[in-house]
């Protein structure tokens, strides 16, 4: 009986450890209806780096309905978005050298995926409300959410 209880505890502990290692990343999807499948991303402070895996679940090409993910202070979103429109698709709608951007991915089209890795220390150093959004022209009004350090 004791060996069964020990085995059960061992299996439960192993499952928790495997799950804990998965918390330093998140899968995010964007679609042709200009929507992300999440409105908040929780980032554990215990992670050294945090990865966002972006999948464009739609079918449209990136020059028509492309998506990226940008992480920044919430107060900087509008300026980053405005400057990104001027930068164009070739620059992934991000102004070159924009220090307001904490991290960003490339723009992907239907069926494509991309990832970005963010040092959690950069998120902590921002010390402000943080957001994620798509900087493709016109998308940030609908494709946005919060980033929460936990």
């Amino acid at each position: 009986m004791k060996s069964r209880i020990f085995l059960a505890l061992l299996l439960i502990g192993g499952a928790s450890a495997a799950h804990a290692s998965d918390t330093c990343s998140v899968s995010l999807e964007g679609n042709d209806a200009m929507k992300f499948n999440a409105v908040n991303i929780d980032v554990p402070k215990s992670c050294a780096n945090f990865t966002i895996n972006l999948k464009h679940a739609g079918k449209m090409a990136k020059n028509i309905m492309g998506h990226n993910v940008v992480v920044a202070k919430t107060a900087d979103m509008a300026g980053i978005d405005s400057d990104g429109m001027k930068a164009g698709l070739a620059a992934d709608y991000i102004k070159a050298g924009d220090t307001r951007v904490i991290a960003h991915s490339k723009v992907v089209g239907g069926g494509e995926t991309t990832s970005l890795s963010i040092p959690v220390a950069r998120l902590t150093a921002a010390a402000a409300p943080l957001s994620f959004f798509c900087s493709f022209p016109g998308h940030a009004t609908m494709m946005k959410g919060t980033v929460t350090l936990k």
Side-chain angles (χ1 to χ4, degrees):
M1 180 70 160
K2 286 183 183 179
S3 63
R4 287 184 184 172
I5 293 171
F6 177 74
L7 180 59
L9 290 172
L10 183 62
L11 290 173
I12 291 168
S16 295
H19 178 68
S21 67
D22 292 339
T23 60
C24 292
S25 68
V26 68
S27 294
L28 183 66
E29 286 188 7
N31 60 33
D32 288 341
M34 289 185 3
K35 293 189 180 208
F36 281 132
N37 66 336
V39 295
N40 183 66
I41 295 174
D42 289 330
V43 178
K45 291 180 183 178
S46 60
C47 296
N49 291 294
F50 189 81
T51 302
I52 300 174
N53 299 303
L54 175 64
K55 177 182 179 182
H56 190 317
K59 299 187 184 307
M60 298 175 112
K62 70 180 179 180
N63 63 324
I64 298 167
M65 183 61 69
H67 300 312
N68 67 353
V69 61
V70 181
V71 177
K73 291 180 184 179
T74 303
D76 291 336
M77 283 177 52
I80 293 168
D81 193 43
S82 176
D83 290 342
M85 280 191 251
K86 297 171 196 161
L89 178 60
D92 294 311
Y93 296 107
I94 298 293
K95 176 181 150 186
D98 194 335
T99 58
R100 299 169 297 182
V101 174
I102 295 172
H104 73 90
S105 73
K106 67 180 186 172
V107 173
V108 293
E112 296 179 325
T113 60
T114 188
S115 294
L116 67 114
S117 183
I118 311 162
V120 174
R122 289 195 68 203
L123 298 174
T124 305
L130 300 171
S131 292
F132 68 94
F133 63 99
C134 175
S135 67
F136 191 96
H139 289 199
T141 58
M142 295 177 61
M143 298 185 77
K144 62 184 174 183
T146 57
V147 175
T148 306
L149 290 167
K150 295 220 169 195

